Amino acid sequence: MRDFKTICLGLILFLSLGHTYAQDLNLYQKANFILEQDTLKYRILYPENMEKGKKYPLVLFLHGSGERGTDNQKQLTHGAKLFLDQTNRKEYPAIVVFPQCPPDIKWTHRLKEKSAAGDWIFKFPAESGPTKPAYMADQLVNKIVEEENIDPKRIYIMGLSMGGIGTLEFLYRWPDKYTAAAVICGGHNPKLVTKYSHVPIWFFHGGKDDVVPGKYSKLVYDEQKKYNAESKYTLYPEANHNSWDQAFAEPDLIKWLFSKSK
């Protein structure tokens, strides 16, 4: 009987925590950004007890390929809880935006193929314009800056995997918009760094990443650090692709990001 009661209490606690988590995610309001004939779904989190007339930082978060869709929900899978943490909400109030990239398209035009040895080879063509979701995400940021009390000196961008690659490309395409960035298991073409070398970036990567090889972020960082002493690189030697788990657990991540100002 005691074991049965213990199981029941555990189940009640589990369901209660799940309900609380769902409620927390609902703090991210659902919205649609419509531009001509296209729609970009996104979720937006506002600070608690917003003060009238006060300017707030803005954070744009780009999700990975697994969170693409049309449900306006999956993009909150990784990273959303970071900004729901009560300490972070209190100490670093900000407007946080999670756009959702539709299926079968990416934040960038990134291409990949396997070498004869079975290694991933990535290419980052950037000669043409941005993909439609990238362009719309950029225009969404412009709209929020115009309509909300945003501090233009404190606009940040973060992303993981496909979104980490996207973060670096957003910096390349719109280098004067963002104050600082966090790139998790991403990477890009190091030859493009000079365009955004003034932006401090904290890179994170798993040493055993078999989805996005760590060299693609390390090469960008090695070039970046020639120009920007504030940029940093954290390698988790035993982590695979999900290095975001350890990155989000870094106690200084949000503090470092929000400490940057133009």
Side-chain angles (χ1 to χ4, degrees):
M1 181 63 71
R2 181 178 299 176
D3 289 342
F4 177 74
K5 288 182 178 179
T6 301
I7 293 172
C8 287
L9 287 172
L11 180 60
I12 291 171
L13 178 60
F14 174 78
L15 293 174
S16 176
L17 289 173
H19 180 63
T20 300
Y21 176 60
Q23 285 183 317
D24 286 344
L25 287 182
N26 286 334
L27 292 174
Y28 284 89
Q29 298 178 23
K30 288 186 176 183
N32 293 315
F33 175 58
I34 299 173
L35 186 64
E36 297 177 352
Q37 303 300 316
D38 297 300
T39 299
L40 180 73
K41 295 181 180 294
Y42 69 97
R43 301 290 284 266
I44 184 166
L45 178 71
Y46 290 97
E48 294 179 305
N49 306 314
M50 287 185 69
E51 298 178 28
K52 187 176 181 180
K54 179 178 178 178
K55 290 188 177 296
Y56 290 92
L58 173 65
V59 181
L60 176 67
F61 193 101
L62 301 179
H63 63 77
S65 61
E67 292 74 62
R68 289 177 291 182
T70 59
D71 64 350
N72 208 0
Q73 177 70 27
K74 284 196 295 185
Q75 74 266 38
L76 300 178
T77 302
H78 305 297
K81 289 190 290 184
L82 187 66
F83 299 98
L84 292 174
D85 177 86
Q86 284 303 306
T87 299
N88 288 339
R89 293 204 79 188
K90 181 179 180 180
E91 295 186 12
Y92 308 105
I95 294 175
V96 184
V97 182
F98 277 70
Q100 185 176 36
C101 186
D104 304 320
I105 193 169
K106 299 183 289 291
W107 298 121
T108 72
H109 297 288
R110 188 268 299 148
L111 302 171
K112 69 176 183 178
E113 59 185 22
K114 279 200 172 182
S115 68
D119 300 320
W120 283 117
I121 298 175
F122 281 43
K123 296 180 181 179
F124 308 96
E127 305 81 26
S128 58
T131 65
K132 179 65 74 172
Y135 176 72
M136 293 191 69
D138 177 69
Q139 293 301 302
L140 171 61
V141 169
N142 291 344
K143 177 177 181 288
I144 293 172
V145 170
E146 291 175 2
E147 296 180 354
E148 306 286 353
N149 282 332
I150 301 298
D151 182 350
K153 296 182 178 181
R154 302 181 69 201
I155 301 178
Y156 309 110
I157 183 169
M158 302 175 66
L160 59 87
S161 192
M162 181 185 81
I165 295 170
T167 294
L168 291 171
E169 185 154 318
F170 276 42
L171 293 179
Y172 165 73
R173 293 191 182 280
W174 304 289
D176 298 323
K177 181 168 291 182
Y178 297 101
T179 306
V183 175
I184 304 169
C185 55
H188 213 280
N189 183 352
K191 294 180 180 180
L192 304 180
V193 164
T194 52
K195 191 79 177 288
Y196 56 87
S197 59
H198 57 286
V199 181
I201 305 171
W202 191 349
F203 297 85
F204 304 87
H205 222 114
K208 297 181 177 180
D209 194 325
D210 56 6
V211 178
V212 179
K215 67 179 181 180
Y216 290 110
S217 63
K218 188 61 164 57
L219 287 169
V220 175
Y221 167 71
D222 287 343
E223 189 66 23
Q224 174 83 357
K225 71 178 181 180
K226 296 177 184 178
Y227 308 95
N228 198 313
E230 292 183 279
S231 291
K232 51 199 295 189
Y233 192 98
T234 298
L235 178 70
Y236 304 113
E238 298 303 314
N240 201 305
H241 189 53
N242 64 331
S243 53
W244 53 79
D245 291 334
Q246 288 164 277
F248 294 146
E250 290 283 349
D252 292 331
L253 172 56
I254 296 299
K255 180 181 179 181
W256 178 88
L257 192 71
F258 281 76
S259 71
K260 307 306 177 187
S261 181
K262 291 183 180 178

